[in-house]
Structure formats: structure tokens, C-alpha cells
Amino acid sequence: MSPSSETAHGKRLVIVESPAKAKTIKGYLGPGYIVEASVGHIRDLPGTAAEVPDEYTGEVRRLGVDVDHDFAPIYVVNPDKRSQVTKLKSLLKESDELFLATDEDREGEAIAWHLQEVLKPKVPVHRMVFHEITKDAIQEAVRNPRHLNKRLVDAQETRRILDRLYGYEVSPVLWKKVMPKLSAGRVQSVATRLVVERERERIAFTSASYWDLVGTFGTGRTTADAANPESFGARLVSVDGKRVATGRDFGPDGRLKSAATTLHLDEQAARTLAAALQQTAFSVRSVESKPYRRSPYAPFRTTTLQQEASRKLGFGAKRTMQVAQKLYENGFITYMRTDSTTLSETAITAARAQVTQLYGADYLPSAPRTYASKVKNAQEAHEAIRPSGDRFRTPAETGLGGDDFRLYELIWMRTVASQMKDAVGQSVTVRVGGRSADGRDAEFSASGKIITFHGFLKAYVEGADDPNAELDDRERRLPQVTEGDPLAAEKLTPEGHATKPPARYTEASLVKELEDREIGRPSTYASIIDTIINRKYVFKKGTALVPSFLSFAVVNLLEKHFGRLVDYDFTAKMEDDLDRIAAGQAESVPWLKRFYFGADAAGGAAVGAVGPAADAGNGDGDHLGGLKELVTDLGAIDAREISSFPVGGGVVLRVGRYGPYVERPAAVEGETGQRADVPEDLPPDELTVELAEELFAKPSGERELGTDPVSGNPLVAKDGRYGPYVTEVLPEGTPKTGKNAVKPRTASLFKSMDLDTVTLEDALKLLSLPRVVGADAEGNEITAQNGRYGPYLKRGTDSRSLTSEDQLFSITLDEALAVYAQPKARGRAAAAPPLKELGNDPVSERPVVVKDGRFGPYVTDGETNATLRKDDEVETITPERAYELLAEKRARGPVKKTAKKAPAKKTTTTAKKATATKTAAAKTAARKTVAKKTTTVKKTAAKKTTAKAAAGEKSAAADGGSEES
């Protein structure tokens, strides 16, 4: 079969996932092909109860899976894809063959299967697969299609059902015991636990102080050059044969691990030793030289691309995958979701040709390099991520810009470097010794590295997660010395150090940790990290991932009562089982039965069947133990206990439904204790007893102002997330949810007011807003209101700004009418002075300043504006960071605006009359239609309301229940 004209084979419909992919592929096929996008999944498990067909009730309707009938999934066409399905069916009617050209992985195979099930084609169906979008690859895929791989489809379906059961069963437990609208997921919960455990280590960490000496030693030579320096630095390593303690010799408790074999120097001891060595005659005690060799890094797979893009480009995992998807769909790189480091023969040939062309034959190894995948169950049918085609385009030849260019360049450099020679050189260690004035023997050590042939390092050097780590291409040259050479100590400096707590995870290091532990699939890590950030389990501080106090409560509950579900080994074993199902070595339904109902359901011994849910959740033996039982018996879960964490000194941190707070009981029994809100963006390891005392001491936590004379409810002043405000305290028992829910009146303080001095009178005035000023001549009501951008008048849809907040209470109707009598100001107010000046931009050569805008601070050079990111602060932003933000904004280009169509000109009076007549008729018909439809709408309203009630919570569970592909 070959790509050919419509006359030979009739019309062929090719379906891909995205419009961008469709556009690229369409250009490579002949006129007999129609290329259309499904726009992702067209069918899935229902997201809300409203989407479930009426014949399903009870648990099936709630879960979207019939657990009592072999876990049969209930699939529905996504509401937002119905029009696209209609379009595809219409195109299929006009076609003689159907090619399903979705991605060649589990997710892509599942999309293809769903398309076939929904479209029900009566024409021949072919599965068209390719790893890159080039003309040759697409035409080869058309010539050699295959059948749908049902085994891949079944494996993806098992994962989907598993994640649905996990998310929809565990998430409601979090709603009941921690906070509404939380989500749990097979991989997201484990990823959150990793971040929380690292923070626990930081909280428990005790820093240790230690000292050593750094010496600068001269050779005494008068002539020196870069290859043979006159002096060099060395660090103290031993005293009287006993090794000087360094950071790795201390435990997390701050204690020395082995005092018998290591010497712990404090500041006084280090300074005393330095003084005793001032007149010492030093000499070279040993010179050890070893050959240095470094081999190229393997080509990128999904996770290594995410890690390196984070280190080198500052991209998050999600941003990396979005850019990579765009590059793939536009034919610049091969498929970006892959576990493989394999390169095809075509790619190896292209890379080797480019090595010779750009670096010369000396950098080309005699035989091609091959890389074995280190990933368990890697899909070797895929290639590594590389530039597409049989000839690699250099970055300059692509015409790309911005993020696209930077990521393509990274992939291109890594691929080319993977086919280059090793870097070689020499590593040298020099030991320097001498005896102090008080008779102690001190030994210093220096290490150096000389690269004699850079090999692949000419093209690419891998980044490091540790900002202090030395990169592979860095040289450290030492003088050419031999054993016994005399040396003079030019300088001896005592240096103090302190051990540091383990570094928080970054996106790059979390991806690496998940992959090393074999948790989940690498292709889903970007979406997992995005989920835990969006769910506010984790927030970013710079590049570090910081767990919220909320995540501590969630992980605490899961560890204590669903221990196996967040156990690292359990999750990895589940991954093995799912891969065995994909390979046809295990069956899906018996496995799901054991996971959901326990081992008894699958004919095996029950695991954790005796005892409460907490015991079952943490039982030993088989790693599958009955999810249904765990979520049924919730009596052992104390909601207050799992959300409480001791800080010290009687202070307890609690995670409440409205955020974290610290609490301390009263010193005298019967009196009210202290409570203070904790900032949601406070890193947990920074909450100390001292900080808690500061929070307690803040007078702006909550202050009672008095009683509202009308309602009788107490009025209080508080400091909230969006600033200070006053509110009323409703009586106990007042319904807070449902149709009869009552919301307390709330009003923000004026800018001129202070939380600590606001009075009851002020509060009553604030709560009286909006104030009715009066009505104009036509009877339109005018009100005075306080809004996000300040005080204003409102008449219908016409708003006018007021000059001061006091006018809200003082402006009269005549004054308000005078304001409306003035033409509405369309121009801008006088520009405020810049918040900071940052010098001239290197591209536009115009001055860059920081300004305060409607949506927050931004940098501008007068031509391009770029909003500051979440981690950028006006006070600390550097010129370089500002230039980077402007460069990124320029690369994205201007926002495209849809041009408005000019109204058609009417040529004659007759035409106007005809139009008027038609319009009147149309309006009459519309009124009749609306009248008819009203009845139908009323009938269905009850159903829709019921569905909406469950939708919010179900969507939270859905986020935790769809993790894998």
C-alpha cells in the first residue's frame, strides 16, 4: 500500500490527536487524504454523575466502573467532543479507508481504539504508526500499517480503572477527614509523600559546625604560566594521621559519626593550629596521577530531557513537555514520550555526519555508539528524543525562536555529542605536609584535572542539580611538582563550615527520584507534578518544591490509615504488575479483584482481612489488600489528630478547613487559649516556637469590636488572605452549606484604616455598603460601592470612580448626578514613577524599569512588557532576570487579536425594508421558540442541579484518578 491519488484508492481519512499534528502530516500526503484531529481523547470514564447513562445506578454511577461485573468501565463521549465526533463520522461516510494515526504508546493506542469503537467504521481500518513527523516517515507509515494492539489497549484500560478506583474511593476520605475537594492518586500521593518526607528530614535536622584550614602554597618559581602556575591551594585533611572531619562525617542529629577516627576542629583549635604552622617548612609528600576519561551522555529520554531542561533552561516539567510536543507535531524532533535511549541507524548516520562536518574527523569514534536503556520495562520500539529526519537541522537552520529554539538546541547538542569520542586527560592529587611549632604533623591535599582532548565536551556538557557541583568540562591545573619539592605557605586561612539539611526536591530531582524508585511511568511525571502544585500540596520557592501544611495532614492520614497505598515498594510492585498485564503475563480482572476486594476475591488468602482498616492498610504479605475495606471502616481515623503537629513548648500546628494555624492552651484552666493564623506560603521547616510566639503576639490575628445593634451578632476584625477586613460571627447552628446556607457579612477595611484601631462604628459603616445614593430622573438607582480598584459609583452598567473612600458615605445625589453629567474619562491617569530602574536592555538598548500595573508589578523597556513571575520580587529582581523575562515575552510574540468584520453596506431602501420585515418575523418566531423551550428547561433543571452538586467533589477525585498512560 502506498500514498497515492484519490482516483486509485478513493478517499482516505487519517485521524491524529491534535490540529497542529494534522496540519503537518497533511502536507506530506497526497490529495486523496483527509487529515483530521480527534483533539485528544473523545471518550473516557464519566467525569460527573450527569454524564452517566440513566440505566446505571448506585456505585456504578458514582465510580463509572461496574466493580461487580468484571470491572466493566462505563465509557461516555466527552461533552466537549460531541461536535468533533459528529464531524469525524461525517468525514468517514465520504471515505473508503480509515487510518488511525495516534501516538504509538498505550495512551495513543487507547485513543485509536476508542475512535474505532465510537465511529464504528464500515470501511477498512489501519493503524498507522511513526516516531517522527517527516515526509519519509509518514509515507512509510501509510505503506506499512498494522492492526490495533489490543494488549496495549487493555493495559491502558487497567491503569485507567485502577486510578479511577483509587481516586474516587480515597479522595472522599480526605474530604471527610481533612478538607473538601482534595484529591488522592496512586502516583500523586506517593510523590507528595516524598516531598513531605524530605521536609520532615529538614525539620528534624540539627546543624553541626566544623572548621579546617585552607593554605596557599608557592613553588618559588619565578616563571609561571597557565599550564604551570606558581602557586596552588590545598585543604587540611589530617593532623597527626587523624582525618579532619568534614560535612559527611556528621549525622542529621549534628553529632560526629565516629570520634575515634576523625578529628573535629572548632574555631579556636583551627586558629591555634594555623598560628603554629606559620613558620613551618612544607614539602610535597606525594604526587598521584591517574588517566581521566569521560564518555558521552546517552541521548535524551523523557525524564532526562525534563531534568536537563530544568537545570539548563529553568523549565518546569510541564513547560518542557509542552514545548517538546510542539516541536514534535511540527516535525522538528521525534516522539517525546519515550523510555528508550536507542537511536535508529538513520539517526546515528545523521549524527556522525554532523560530528565530522562541525568538529572534524578527529572527534568521530571509529564505530557508532549504542546506549542500553537503564529503565525497567522500557519500550525499546521507541527511539530516544532526537532531531527528526535523516539529516539533522542545526538550530540556526530551523527558523525557531524563544523556548522552541532553546529546547531544540538542547536536544540537538545532546544527540550529536552522543556520537562523539570520549574526553580524556589526567587527574592529579598532590599531598603537602609539614610539622607545626607545637610538634603536630599537618597534611594538606589538592586535586587537579587537565583535559588533553575534549571530545564530546566540545559539543555538550550536562548540568547538575547541585549548584556547587563542578561540571565535567572544568579544569583545575596544579603546578608541575615532584615528591620532596619544598613549598612555602603563602597564606593559611581558618575556614568555618556548617552542615546543611538535605536539599528540597526540585522538579528535576523529583522526576529522577520517582524514576529511580520505579514509581509510575516517566511519561506522566510532568502531569503528576503539575497536579500536586495545582492542588496546593506543594508550592515553589525559587526552583525548590516546598510541601504545604495541608500536604502534611494528607500524607499523615494516608501513612497511618492507608499505609500500603503510599508505600514506595507497593507502588513499584503495582507498576510491575501492570507491565506484566501489558506483556500478557497476567490477567487484568483477577488482578483488579485482588486490589479492590482483597485476595479472597481472587481465590487467595485474605490479606489484612482481620482487624480495623488501619491494620489492613498497613498489613504485611501480599501487596494487594482490598481497597474497598480500607475506605469503608473509617472509625479509626481521628480527623483532629491527623491534622495536628506539635511545634514545641505546648504549641500545636493544626490544619483547619480554612488554612493552617497555631494553637496553645490557656495557662489557667477555663480560660481561652491562644490561636494565630499561619501564612500558607510559610515553609514548614521555618515554623519554630519563636516564630509561633511572634504570630501569637501579633494584635491583628482577630479582634472583637462589639455587637451589631440590629442583628445582635458579634463583629470582629481579621487579617485575611486578601488583606484586613471586618465580619460578623454567626450563631452556632447557622447552616453554612445547602439551600438555606447563610453567609456572614464581610467588608474590606479602607486603606486609611488600621486593623488594630478600627472601631465598631467603622465596622458598621463598612458593612452598610453598598450605599444607595438615590435615583436619577429616569428612576435608575445610583449606589456607592468599594471595589477591587477603589471606591466608585454604579448606575446600571455605568461605573464612575470616586476620588476618596470617604465619599462613599458623604456623596449626595446631586454630587453623584454631577459626576455622571461629566463625559466618561477614557484616557489614562498620569503614569506613576517606576518602582526600580535596571539599566538598558541588551536587545532593544532601551532603559528597563519595574512598574506597578493593574495585575501586579512588571518589567518594561517601553516596547515590551513582561509580568513578574510568582518567585520574582521587586526588591530582589536583577537586571539579568528582567532582560530574560523581556526576551521570553518577545519570543512568544504579540497576542493575536481577532479582527472585527465590518458590517455589510445596505444599498437600497427596498433592501432595508425587506431586512426589517425579516427581522420582525424572526423575532416573533424566536419568542415562540423560547416559550416552548422554557417548559423543557424547567423539567431538566432538577436533574442538572443534582448532577452539579456532585460535580465539584467528583472533579477533585478525577484529578487524582487519571494519572497513567
Side-chain angles (χ1 to χ4, degrees):
M1 192 180 298
S2 61
S4 53
S5 66
E6 183 179 343
T7 54
H9 294 283
K11 285 186 179 179
R12 293 172 166 181
L13 175 61
V14 180
I15 302 179
V16 298
E17 297 99 319
S18 73
K21 190 175 174 183
K23 183 179 177 182
T24 307
I25 291 175
K26 189 174 183 180
Y28 297 141
L29 296 173
Y33 292 84
I34 303 168
V35 185
E36 186 57 53
S38 66
V39 196
H41 279 279
I42 61 163
R43 193 172 74 153
D44 197 2
L45 298 176
T48 65
E51 296 175 20
V52 182
D54 291 338
E55 65 261 30
Y56 297 104
T57 58
E59 285 292 276
V60 182
R61 191 173 189 84
R62 181 176 72 87
L63 295 172
V65 177
D66 191 345
V67 296
D68 295 320
H69 293 87
D70 291 342
F71 295 86
I74 312 302
Y75 288 122
V76 295
V77 174
N78 301 345
D80 60 338
K81 299 295 172 63
R82 287 170 187 161
S83 60
Q84 190 66 13
V85 168
T86 301
K87 181 179 180 181
L88 292 172
K89 285 182 176 179
S90 176
L91 292 171
L92 185 59
K93 285 180 182 178
E94 303 169 6
S95 305
D96 302 298
E97 288 179 275
L98 173 62
F99 285 80
L100 300 172
T102 50
D103 296 334
E104 192 186 11
D105 56 12
R106 275 185 287 262
E107 191 80 5
E109 207 73 13
I111 293 173
W113 178 75
H114 282 296
L115 282 166
Q116 182 170 301
E117 292 292 302
V118 172
L119 299 180
K120 303 186 186 309
K122 297 178 182 178
V123 298
V125 180
H126 310 286
R127 180 74 171 100
M128 176 178 161
V129 293
F130 42 86
H131 309 311
E132 58 183 344
I133 302 178
T134 60
K135 186 173 183 178
D136 290 343
I138 297 303
Q139 294 189 350
E140 176 67 19
V142 173
R143 286 192 293 269
N144 296 286
R146 62 166 173 79
H147 296 293
L148 267 170
N149 186 333
K150 194 62 170 64
R151 188 182 292 169
L152 277 181
V153 174
D154 290 344
Q156 195 277 339
E157 184 173 76
T158 303
R159 288 169 182 272
R160 187 71 186 91
I161 293 170
L162 168 66
D163 290 332
R164 170 54 66 97
L165 295 175
Y166 192 125
Y168 273 46
E169 291 289 23
V170 181
S171 297
V173 179
L174 301 181
W175 305 341
K176 293 173 186 174
K177 300 296 183 178
V178 182
M179 190 183 294
K181 297 186 179 180
L182 298 179
S183 72
R186 178 168 58 91
V187 181
Q188 79 166 58
S189 296
V190 175
T192 304
R193 184 189 173 200
L194 280 169
V195 180
V196 167
E197 280 200 336
R198 179 60 55 86
E199 196 72 8
R200 287 172 179 164
E201 292 172 13
R202 292 174 62 88
I203 292 170
F205 183 82
T206 302
S207 182
S209 171
Y210 63 96
W211 286 69
D212 60 14
L213 300 181
V214 174
T216 301
F217 298 93
T219 61
R221 301 185 186 120
T222 54
T223 57
D225 54 36
N228 188 20
E230 180 185 350
S231 60
F232 64 99
R235 190 172 293 276
L236 180 70
V237 292
S238 69
V239 177
D240 288 336
K242 203 171 185 180
R243 188 168 59 80
V244 174
T246 61
R248 65 176 181 271
D249 294 308
F250 296 89
D253 58 357
R255 296 180 180 180
L256 198 61
K257 294 176 183 176
S258 176
T261 57
T262 52
L263 174 65
H264 181 192
L265 291 178
D266 58 17
E267 182 178 3
Q268 181 59 44
R271 294 192 182 282
T272 301
L273 180 59
L277 290 170
Q278 289 300 320
Q279 304 302 320
T280 300
F282 290 94
S283 63
V284 177
R285 290 188 174 174
S286 67
V287 179
E288 185 181 1
S289 180
K290 294 179 180 178
Y292 164 84
R293 178 175 292 273
R294 183 72 171 87
S295 297
Y297 325 100
F300 283 130
R301 58 181 191 272
T302 302
T303 53
T304 53
L305 176 63
Q306 290 172 359
Q307 292 167 47
E308 194 69 344
S310 174
R311 298 176 191 128
K312 285 186 174 292
L313 307 180
F315 289 3
K318 180 181 179 181
R319 183 177 172 192
T320 299
M321 296 310 291
Q322 286 174 336
V323 177
Q325 177 95 29
K326 186 177 174 184
L327 290 173
Y328 165 67
E329 291 178 344
N330 286 287
F332 289 103
I333 63 170
T334 52
Y335 191 51
M336 67 287 158
R337 291 187 184 90
T338 175
D339 301 331
S340 177
T341 53
T342 303
L343 289 177
S344 66
E345 289 186 14
T346 301
I348 290 174
T349 301
R352 287 173 64 83
Q354 212 144 51
V355 171
T356 305
Q357 177 189 348
L358 298 175
Y359 301 100
D362 290 343
Y363 285 83
L364 187 71
S366 57
R369 290 185 180 273
T370 57
Y371 296 88
S373 177
K374 296 179 181 178
V375 180
K376 195 174 181 180
N377 300 312
Q379 301 176 61
E380 295 295 350
H382 290 177
E383 265 197 89
I385 304 169
R386 63 165 177 87
S388 59
D390 54 10
R391 178 195 170 276
F392 295 165
R393 284 169 282 188
T394 64
E397 292 173 328
T398 61
L400 294 169
D403 289 354
D404 298 350
F405 177 89
R406 297 167 71 197
L407 193 66
Y408 178 85
E409 183 181 44
L410 195 69
I411 294 166
W412 173 80
M413 289 191 300
R414 177 90 165 212
T415 308
V416 172
S418 74
Q419 293 301 315
M420 294 175 73
K421 282 185 176 179
D422 291 350
V424 295
Q426 290 287 325
S427 62
V428 181
T429 302
V430 175
R431 292 276 181 155
V432 176
R435 191 166 293 277
S436 66
D438 56 8
R440 287 183 288 175
D441 183 76
E443 190 166 276
F444 293 74
S445 179
S447 59
K449 182 176 73 176
I450 301 169
I451 301 175
T452 55
F453 178 72
H454 279 76
F456 76 94
L457 294 176
K458 278 279 187 183
Y460 188 82
V461 181
E462 189 171 65
D465 291 321
D466 182 358
N468 299 315
E470 185 175 80
L471 300 182
D472 288 332
D473 64 339
R474 299 288 168 84
E475 289 188 305
R476 300 183 308 278
R477 290 186 176 269
L478 297 178
Q480 295 174 11
V481 294
T482 57
E483 189 175 326
D485 284 356
L487 298 171
E490 298 176 353
K491 193 175 183 181
L492 290 171
T493 307
E495 281 193 359
H497 311 273
T499 56
K500 295 180 180 179
R504 291 189 178 100
Y505 287 108
T506 61
E507 289 198 29
S509 59
L510 182 58
V511 163
K512 186 177 188 303
E513 185 73 16
L514 289 168
E515 185 175 42
D516 289 346
R517 290 178 180 269
E518 297 172 3
I519 293 169
R521 300 304 304 172
S523 59
T524 65
Y525 291 160
S527 63
I528 293 297
I529 292 173
D530 191 47
T531 296
I532 64 176
I533 291 174
N534 289 339
R535 283 285 161 200
K536 297 185 179 178
Y537 292 152
V538 169
F539 62 91
K540 295 185 81 171
K541 186 178 181 182
T543 59
L545 297 175
V546 185
S548 63
F549 291 106
L550 172 63
S551 69
F552 270 69
V554 169
V555 169
N556 199 26
L557 185 152
L558 293 174
E559 286 177 335
K560 288 182 177 179
H561 302 280
F562 300 95
R564 276 202 304 272
L565 296 184
V566 288
D567 180 77
Y568 303 129
D569 291 336
F570 165 79
T571 310
K573 285 176 184 176
M574 276 206 298
E575 203 60 53
D576 289 342
D577 289 347
L578 291 166
D579 284 326
R580 287 174 58 237
I581 292 169
Q585 299 167 359
E587 294 182 22
S588 171
V589 173
W591 189 88
L592 286 170
K593 281 184 178 178
R594 278 172 53 233
F595 171 76
Y596 192 70
F597 292 114
D600 271 352
V607 178
V610 180
D615 294 334
N618 293 282
D620 297 321
D622 188 344
H623 65 282
L624 296 179
L627 174 66
K628 185 62 178 173
E629 181 193 357
L630 296 181
V631 299
T632 301
D633 178 11
L634 303 181
I637 302 177
D638 184 331
R640 186 174 177 82
E641 180 191 348
I642 60 101
S643 295
S644 301
F645 306 92
V647 177
V651 178
V652 177
L653 174 110
R654 301 197 193 280
V655 179
R657 298 213 158 200
Y658 304 105
Y661 61 94
V662 283
E663 190 175 59
R664 177 168 56 191
V668 180
E669 190 174 346
E671 291 186 2
T672 305
Q674 287 180 291
R675 177 183 289 193
D677 290 335
V678 174
E680 291 187 2
D681 59 352
L682 177 74
D685 73 337
E686 294 180 15
L687 179 60
T688 60
V689 175
E690 293 73 24
L691 180 59
E693 292 291 352
E694 290 179 23
L695 295 173
F696 286 135
K698 283 180 68 175
S700 52
E702 180 175 321
R703 192 164 64 87
E704 190 166 338
L705 303 176
T707 303
D708 184 339
V710 177
S711 68
N713 294 331
L715 299 184
V716 295
K718 290 186 174 184
D719 192 7
R721 188 174 181 182
Y722 303 106
Y725 66 99
V726 292
T727 185
E728 66 177 333
V729 180
L730 298 176
E732 285 189 25
T734 302
K736 295 180 180 179
T737 58
K739 287 191 294 183
N740 299 320
V742 178
K743 288 187 177 181
R745 292 175 297 149
T746 299
S748 295
L749 264 61
F750 286 172
K751 291 178 182 178
S752 58
M753 294 178 179
D754 185 83
L755 187 62
D756 301 326
T757 58
V758 66
T759 64
L760 175 62
E761 184 183 358
D762 294 329
L764 291 171
K765 288 174 69 177
L766 291 171
L767 292 173
S768 70
L769 295 173
R771 167 179 158 256
V772 177
V773 178
D776 63 11
E778 287 76 32
N780 298 312
E781 188 177 78
I782 301 174
T783 58
Q785 305 190 27
N786 197 20
R788 180 180 177 186
Y789 304 110
Y792 66 99
L793 293 173
K794 186 174 179 66
R795 181 177 64 180
T797 58
D798 190 358
S799 299
R800 302 295 177 94
S801 296
L802 294 174
T803 56
S804 73
E805 292 168 326
D806 292 337
Q807 284 184 285
L808 289 169
F809 303 112
S810 63
I811 193 167
T812 64
L813 178 59
D814 290 339
E815 290 170 338
L817 292 173
V819 170
Y820 276 104
Q822 300 296 321
K824 193 164 186 176
R826 298 289 180 185
R828 296 183 180 178
L835 303 177
K836 193 173 185 179
E837 297 181 355
L838 298 169
N840 289 345
D841 182 83
V843 176
S844 67
E845 298 182 349
R846 295 167 64 95
V848 176
V849 296
V850 183
K851 289 190 173 185
D852 194 12
R854 181 176 178 183
F855 303 106
Y858 65 97
V859 291
T860 180
D861 63 352
E863 294 177 345
T864 305
N865 299 341
T867 304
L868 266 60
R869 304 281 168 80
K870 183 179 179 182
D871 300 320
D872 296 321
E873 298 289 344
V874 175
E875 296 78 13
T876 58
I877 190 168
T878 62
E880 292 72 21
R881 175 59 176 160
Y883 305 154
E884 181 186 355
L885 290 171
L886 290 172
E888 289 178 1
K889 184 64 180 291
R890 291 190 197 99
R892 288 197 295 270
V895 178
K896 293 182 180 178
K897 295 183 179 178
T898 307
K900 293 182 180 178
K901 291 183 179 179
K905 293 182 179 178
K906 297 177 182 178
T907 54
T908 64
T909 308
T910 308
K912 287 181 182 177
K913 288 182 179 179
T915 304
T917 306
K918 286 180 181 178
T919 304
K923 284 183 178 178
T924 306
R927 281 196 293 270
K928 289 180 180 178
T929 306
V930 170
K932 288 180 181 178
K933 284 185 177 178
T934 303
T935 309
T936 309
V937 171
K938 285 180 180 177
K939 286 180 181 179
T940 58
K943 290 184 181 178
K944 288 186 177 179
T945 304
T946 305
K948 282 181 180 178
E953 291 186 333
K954 278 211 169 189
S955 65
D959 282 353
S962 177
E963 295 185 336
E964 290 299 332
S965 58

